Amino acid sequence: MTPQEIRKSFVDFFVAKGHRQLPGASLVPHALSTTLFTIAGMEQFVPAFLGEEPAPAPRVVTVQRCLRVAGGKNDIESVGRTGRHGTLLEMLGNFSFGDYYKRDAIVWAWEYLTKTLGIDPQRLYATVYVEDDEAAKLWRDEIGLDQRRISRFREDNFWDMGPTGPCGPCSEIFYDLGAAVGCGRADCAVGCPHCARYVEFWNLVFQQFDRTSDGRLVPLPKPAIDTGMGFERLCMILAGKTSIFETDLYTRIIAALPAPVGKSSLKGSDEDVHRRIIADHARASVFLAADGVTPSNNDRGYVMRFLIRRALRSGRRLGLPDGFLSGCVPAVIASLRDGYPELPQAEAAARRIIAEEEALFDRTLARGETRAAAMIEATKAKGGTHLPGGQIFELYDTYGFPLELTTEIASENGLTADTIGFQAAMEQQRERARNDARAKRAAVKVASGEAVDLPGTDFVGYEELDAKATIVALYDASGSAVRLLGKGQSGVIVLDRTPFYAERGGQAGDHGVLATPSASFAVSDVQYQDKTYRRVLHKGTLLAGEIHVSEAVEAHVDPVWRREVRRHHSATHLLQRALKDVVGDAVSQRGSAVFPDRTRFDFDAPGGALQRDQERQVQARVNELIRSDYHRDVAVMPFDEAVARGAIYMKGEHYGDIVRVVSFGPSVELCGGTHVASTGEIGLFVLTAESAIAAGVRRVEGVVSEAADAWVGRLRDTVDKTTSAISVPPEKLADSVARLGHERRELEKRVEAMQAKLAAASVDEYAARMQSIEGVECLAVRADSSTSVRALSDALRRRLAKGVLAVVGGEEGKVSALVTVGDDAQARGVSARDILGAMMPLLGGKGGGSAAAAQGGGKNAAGIEAALATVPAAVRAALDA
């Protein structure tokens, strides 16, 4: 049977038993889930199990994709090293919501396995919870299973999906792979710790309880059935194999891996392990991309980044070429498309996301591995057994190595990883970030022993810029509560009501003044005290007089500040609409920042960087929306109603049940910010910049209104100065600059030719410094300047065609390095990219390239000699690997 035939047979069997087939859920679970990813077929039905929502049907059958990366039997370190563990797995499941229970679940499972699939009953075993006599009796009396093939366990036969939620005893079905797979011990049986002869592949869970946050087991409204059969293991059993990696689900991916282009650092079975790791992680990464996850340093994105980078390292150890992982995407989709016909639609996005992460990590992988090797060698030289946490954090922070990857590298070299020290270093960084945030928000701390229960601040700034208010609390610059502030003091004022907009949703806080008849407080920043968004903090400096708690003040928002901020904010809404119109609806907001003199907008970019023509179209579309003079419409409604109306909202943000919707014609968004009355007020929009800020995420920046006028004015001044300097009219400026550039390049070529002649004349002098390292000729020399590196390298390469040549030259602030490696040296495992990776940290820069040639640029000319000195050691290390 093919994988798709197996899926279909399972669904058809249970549909015939009165089950309703439902589609599987995304790998990204419901927001209220306690798990990071969907880990079981029952997860989408948790509210139904708990009685919080009606069940979709009394009986349901699904095929659910799941992702499991840590914990117990599914630990990531087992993937590829055993024949039964993977990160991505498919779960075949049948469910009952208070309809049938243990007997039917057990009887139908046995019928499907032995009658529909024809599995030999003599190779099947069952386990039950230690106290579940009912299940044991069903297996013995209803099924006729020999008592010796029924085992009782405690922990392994009580299932839950996390610290809270539905749970209950379970009965697992095992398959005997045969004596050839076993340990040969007389006591070998289900649960044997010495071998993998008996493989568990179907778990029948009898959901009875809801585990609360305090650990109590509360009976569910109705007992339920939740089963999950490991699809990959079932395919393995039916194919007569002993490893899931020998099935069609993986062999097609492994077969699609390209031939090595470099020397493998692995031997024998280790190569197979790393091919299996790549196949598994490629499957998981493609499905994550299809479900909208992108690599990042947080939560799901962190896991995806780790899986991709672990696969990339495996490919590097196998000597696979750059781009091999993104090249696997078509094979992954081909192996799964029968069961997931929607998957081909995600092929382009998955390939792009993985390719971007490949390019991002490839630039640091060689340098990171060189640094890790040095750390490991130094630790061993000191007799240490733990890789220090601070060094692990350096690999994470500087080279992008996830903790789990460094732990694996350390283990491969006989060391353990100081994860506690790593977490301490991570916490120190987080604390630094928190301190910065506290300083920015002027976070309030109450003086020792003083209990304060302040009311929330009523925001009236949508309707007015001036308001009368009362001071309910004062804090000095250190955050301590005080009764008054004097002239020249900086501090924070809390009011009972305010027209000042506090920073939120990317919009900067207002500026302005708080005044009494005898005092004036300049407000320079406005923040919410915390994420409850109840209390507003006005940060600033008292310019005159004294100001006291409980005193009445007049609050005045700077009208120009607010006017320019709201114009930029409304333009940002139009910008998102324009991006969707030009690039496509796949554009999704990742963040924004709105100021009185500029705006920026971050978004998922399915097509990569905006082309110049697209930038022009986006700018033109925004200005078209401005000139249409759409009037602002603000409505408050339930979240679901707003989404149904097509309102745009930022994924991952938490919105309340009731939301504020701001519309300007075709632009409809959830937003709590301040806006213009109509788009015509915005004036002119200029798109000033477009750039990448993360893998798959782009940023556009722009200006409107007075800032746009100033930007155009500066551009005009630059054009006038340039045309005056080269004596051409503005309309001929582009052609003249192009001509000057061509003339400059011609002059540079002449200079390079002269440098080449000088280098050729000095070849013999340089060649005399050549040394032989285990039969490989090696030369590392310094050029006179950064511009003469290429010429000297070309001249010397004619004398050193088969060996290793490294040339570095430069002056403080600008250093160039070029490494070339001949075919003979490459065949012995020497890579120009690795050698450059060892040099660049000493040159204060970075670079890249291939095994044959690599180049880089830096700023530290003082490190040139030290960098050249690393070359022989790097060559020797490559030859010894």
Side-chain angles (χ1 to χ4, degrees), residues 202-286:
W202 200 349
N203 190 6
L204 314 179
V205 181
F206 312 128
Q207 300 282 14
Q208 291 180 236
F209 306 106
D210 174 23
R211 179 180 281 133
T212 62
S213 58
D214 59 2
R216 291 182 299 112
L217 295 178
V218 179
L220 292 175
K222 294 181 181 180
I225 289 296
D226 153 30
T227 87
M229 176 154 52
F231 178 64
E232 292 77 11
R233 295 184 183 183
L234 180 61
C235 290
M236 174 190 76
I237 291 168
L238 294 177
K241 306 294 185 181
T242 59
S243 168
I244 62 174
F245 296 101
E246 296 173 346
T247 66
D248 291 346
L249 296 170
Y250 299 90
T251 55
R252 296 172 69 173
I253 303 170
I254 294 172
L257 291 175
V261 296
K263 181 181 178 182
S264 173
S265 63
L266 303 166
K267 296 180 181 179
S269 61
D270 283 344
E271 291 191 343
D272 293 332
V273 167
H274 285 274
R275 289 190 182 93
R276 294 194 289 263
I277 288 173
I278 292 170
D280 173 83
H281 292 5
R283 279 165 42 96
S285 299
V286 168

Side-chain angles (χ1 to χ4, degrees), residues 129-399:
Y129 186 57
V130 288
E131 299 168 3
D132 194 349
D133 295 332
E134 180 186 1
K137 187 174 185 297
L138 286 168
W139 280 113
R140 186 188 69 233
D141 298 343
E142 293 279 345
I143 302 304
L145 200 61
D146 190 304
Q147 185 69 46
R148 290 169 296 181
R149 286 160 55 200
I150 304 171
S151 305
R152 294 180 182 244
F153 296 100
R154 183 171 295 279
E155 292 183 2
D156 286 350
N157 280 100
F158 193 93
W159 193 92
D160 57 45
M161 58 174 285
T164 62
C167 57
C170 64
S171 180
E172 295 180 321
I173 303 175
F174 285 74
Y175 181 82
D176 180 4
L177 293 175
V181 182
C183 58
R185 294 170 178 256
D187 59 348
C188 183
V190 169
C192 178
H194 306 291
C195 69
R197 174 174 174 174
Y198 300 92
V199 57
E200 181 266 319
F201 67 102
W202 200 349
N203 190 6
L204 314 179
V205 181
F206 312 128
Q207 300 282 14
Q208 291 180 236
F209 306 106
D210 174 23
R211 179 180 281 133
T212 62
S213 58
D214 59 2
R216 291 182 299 112
L217 295 178
V218 179
L220 292 175
K222 294 181 181 180
I225 289 296
D226 153 30
T227 87
M229 176 154 52
F231 178 64
E232 292 77 11
R233 295 184 183 183
L234 180 61
C235 290
M236 174 190 76
I237 291 168
L238 294 177
K241 306 294 185 181
T242 59
S243 168
I244 62 174
F245 296 101
E246 296 173 346
T247 66
D248 291 346
L249 296 170
Y250 299 90
T251 55
R252 296 172 69 173
I253 303 170
I254 294 172
L257 291 175
V261 296
K263 181 181 178 182
S264 173
S265 63
L266 303 166
K267 296 180 181 179
S269 61
D270 283 344
E271 291 191 343
D272 293 332
V273 167
H274 285 274
R275 289 190 182 93
R276 294 194 289 263
I277 288 173
I278 292 170
D280 173 83
H281 292 5
R283 279 165 42 96
S285 299
V286 168
F287 252 130
L288 285 170
D291 283 341
V293 181
T294 56
S296 70
N297 286 331
N298 297 297
D299 299 330
R300 299 181 185 94
Y302 175 85
V303 174
M304 185 178 187
R305 171 162 285 169
F306 164 61
L307 292 173
I308 292 175
R309 294 188 170 186
R310 188 169 187 251
L312 291 176
R313 181 171 178 269
S314 288
R316 183 175 179 80
R317 299 190 71 189
L318 288 166
L320 301 185
D322 294 344
F324 77 89
L325 190 59
S326 55
C328 287
V329 172
V332 172
I333 290 178
S335 71
L336 291 164
R337 68 191 310 160
D338 288 341
Y340 302 89
E342 74 280 6
L343 203 54
Q345 300 174 10
E347 179 172 342
R351 194 159 189 169
R352 172 185 56 79
I353 289 170
I354 294 174
E356 289 173 348
E357 188 67 12
E358 280 181 307
L360 185 67
F361 194 44
D362 277 345
R363 291 194 290 267
T364 59
L365 181 56
R367 291 191 297 125
E369 286 192 320
T370 299
R371 180 69 180 123
M375 292 174 177
I376 289 168
E377 185 176 343
T379 300
K380 287 184 174 180
K382 296 176 182 178
T385 59
H386 303 281
L387 191 61
Q391 295 183 356
I392 299 172
F393 181 76
E394 178 189 338
L395 292 172
Y396 167 83
D397 195 44
T398 305
Y399 301 100

Side-chain angles (χ1 to χ4, degrees), residues 512-527:
V513 173
L514 303 178
T516 70
S518 60
S520 177
F521 182 86
V523 178
S524 58
D525 190 18
V526 185
Q527 301 281 336

Side-chain angles (χ1 to χ4, degrees), residues 116 222 239 262 293 375 405 412 495 610 779:
T116 302
K222 294 181 181 180
V293 181
M375 292 174 177
L405 184 59
E412 291 169 355
L495 303 176
L610 295 183
L779 179 60

